Amino acid sequence: MSTTFRRRMLAGAGALSLALTGGVVALTGTAQAATKTTPVPVKCVAPAPQPGANGTQDFTVTVPDTAKAGQSVPITIDPGETPVVPMFTIDTVNTIKMKLLVGGVAQTVTSPAVPSHQEAGKKADPPAFSGNITLPEGTEGTTVQVTIDQVVTDADLGGTVYTTTCTPDPRPSASVGSIASEALPKDPVTTKLTPNSGPAGTAVVVTGANFPAGAVSCSALLGGVATGDTGTGTASASGAATCDITVTKKADAIRIDGSTLAPKPFVFVEEQAGVKNPVDIEVLPGPLALGPKDGQPAVSFGSVTINGKSQSVFGAFNAATVQDFRGGSLGWDVTATRTPFLNQTTGHSMAKAQLGIQPSCTVTNPDSPSTCTAGTPGAITDTPMKVASQAAGGDELTGGEFAVGGAAMLQLPPFMFADTYQSVVTFSIA
């Protein structure tokens, strides 16, 4: 699928101008938590003509003192006063994406979208916001450091999103918080039933992970209440547990006792008297498709007048459709590449022009078993850039219908031939 972008260098158009600042909902920290304020040197880049800025930003971070490896824990971030000084008084709806490294693993905490009023010449001081981070696997018995890799502020002005990016210098920042990862085993969970359906008398093998070595027991449930069917098994030194149980009465779930998460579903097949008529159906996998098949209409950025300065213009990618009807547990990635900005008739080119995207991905079919994740904002080049993805599901079903698009920004050089230019952006799925 291809999307064509045209740029016409004609008289009569002015550069867009605005200032980007942050504004978010303030939330409080949690009990048994540690709060730390860290001055972080940052370099901020804002959309033209708003100048960027270098300075120190005080980040106040609250995280729990301790947690287990693999556990999701709350985090509260107060970004502090930004070094960017807006040129204009402006009202926007802002979202902050705080890109962190948690024990070296990239994670993002996103603020809610909140209206923000910013006065010209006055630095913004966005309020705190909260989210969750996950302690990486394998960190048991260590102290996990939280550092800042980048801070992205998206300002929505009348439906168009303008992005200011602040990067620590050096990158990443010094530690802004730490969590002691407990040296205890992770919470025990039930992982699989084999088989996961059958009539009375079905023998089921139940597996689990993170159990203390030794004997384990398992039980069948109906509506969350034990049916009386139980079984026994063992857990190895690595925590892998196996338990055998025979289902003798109606049940809708089975677990290894001591599991901290939901039990695994079991489909009980009722025996019925009379003449049996088996009904078979073969469900064939459908396609993984990216559309529309014939490509998207051109996205026009209008026109701009050469003025001897770098200029930025804004637009939006038309949403592409993703259909995953494969009926399995596979994931997918959508990537974008582009050709150079050229006029093939005159031979003129804009080699220094940069095209950026703020990706978006939404679920369009509410029955979709999966969600999708938008990629990181950045420049589209001849190297594939991930703009959206669906994670593989392991033992769980994946698939569905989605829309992939995003806001677009074209950064133009100060001087070039006045001409009509075209680049072709191609989205691909795999």
Side-chain angles (χ1 to χ4, degrees):
M1 181 197 67
S2 299
T3 305
T4 302
F5 295 87
R6 303 177 186 273
R7 294 290 304 112
R8 284 193 284 182
M9 312 306 298
L10 302 174
L16 299 178
S17 59
L18 58 113
L20 299 182
T21 56
V24 291
V25 172
L27 298 175
T28 59
T30 58
Q32 297 180 345
T35 299
K36 178 183 179 182
T37 299
T38 306
V40 177
V42 294
K43 294 183 176 181
C44 298
V45 178
Q50 165 67 46
N54 299 339
T56 299
Q57 193 165 345
D58 292 336
F59 292 89
T60 301
V61 175
T62 302
V63 290
D65 289 321
T66 61
K68 294 181 179 181
Q71 181 180 357
S72 176
V73 299
I75 182 172
T76 298
I77 303 168
D78 185 344
E81 190 177 74
T82 173
V84 176
V85 180
M87 298 172 60
F88 308 96
T89 297
I90 195 169
D91 290 291
T92 57
V93 177
N94 291 359
T95 304
I96 295 180
K97 297 177 181 177
M98 186 73 65
K99 298 182 179 181
L100 305 173
L101 295 178
V102 182
V105 177
Q107 301 184 37
T108 300
V109 178
T110 303
S111 77
V114 175
S116 175
H117 174 78
Q118 183 59 46
E119 296 289 339
K122 182 180 179 181
K123 294 181 179 180
D125 187 7
F129 59 95
S130 292
N132 288 280
I133 57 176
T134 300
L135 266 66
E137 301 283 352
T139 60
E140 293 88 343
T142 67
T143 299
V144 175
Q145 304 296 334
V146 180
T147 60
I148 298 173
D149 187 56
Q150 203 169 59
V151 183
V152 178
T153 301
D154 293 333
D156 188 323
L157 180 62
T160 300
V161 177
Y162 304 94
T163 299
T164 295
T165 302
C166 294
T167 304
D169 184 26
R171 180 181 184 183
S173 72
S175 175
V176 296
S178 61
I179 305 171
S181 181
E182 297 179 14
L184 302 174
K186 290 171 288 188
D187 293 335
V189 294
T190 302
T191 58
K192 192 174 182 180
L193 307 180
T194 307
N196 61 1
S197 64
T202 299
V204 178
V205 177
V206 191
T207 58
N210 308 325
F211 285 85
V216 296
S217 61
C218 49
S219 57
L221 309 171
L222 180 62
V225 179
T227 66
D229 288 337
T230 61
T232 59
T234 57
S236 67
S238 65
T242 301
C243 188
D244 297 314
I245 184 173
T246 299
V247 177
T248 65
K249 54 182 72 70
K250 187 175 183 179
D252 58 15
I254 299 175
R255 70 181 179 194
I256 298 181
D257 298 325
S259 299
T260 58
L261 299 179
K264 289 297 180 181
F266 181 83
V267 178
F268 186 80
V269 180
E270 298 274 9
E271 289 289 345
Q272 300 178 4
V275 178
K276 301 188 186 316
N277 291 268
V279 178
D280 295 336
I281 181 172
E282 182 181 9
V283 179
L284 301 176
L288 173 65
L290 180 67
K293 181 179 179 181
D294 297 327
Q296 300 278 37
V299 177
S300 175
F301 283 95
S303 59
V304 67
T305 302
I306 298 172
N307 63 5
K309 298 179 180 179
S310 298
Q311 300 183 69
S312 298
V313 288
F314 303 88
F317 291 87
N318 296 298
T321 59
V322 174
Q323 294 178 320
D324 183 1
F325 299 149
R326 293 173 293 176
S329 58
L330 298 173
W332 50 257
D333 292 326
V334 172
T335 58
T337 56
R338 74 169 178 89
T339 61
F341 279 96
L342 301 171
N343 185 308
Q344 294 184 348
T345 301
T346 64
H348 295 153
S349 67
M350 292 194 302
K352 295 182 179 180
Q354 293 188 11
L355 179 63
I357 180 174
Q358 176 88 32
S360 65
C361 188
T362 57
V363 178
T364 57
N365 184 339
D367 292 327
S368 300
S370 292
T371 59
C372 63
T373 302
T376 301
I380 302 175
T381 66
D382 56 357
T383 300
M385 171 194 179
K386 185 187 294 187
V387 295
S389 61
Q390 169 193 277
D395 291 330
E396 304 297 329
L397 177 66
T398 60
E401 295 182 272
F402 313 90
V404 177
M409 180 176 71
L410 182 60
Q411 295 178 320
L412 301 173
F415 295 98
M416 71 217 86
F417 281 102
D419 207 339
T420 299
Y421 296 89
Q422 182 183 87
S423 173
V424 177
V425 173
T426 301
F427 288 86
S428 303
I429 191 167

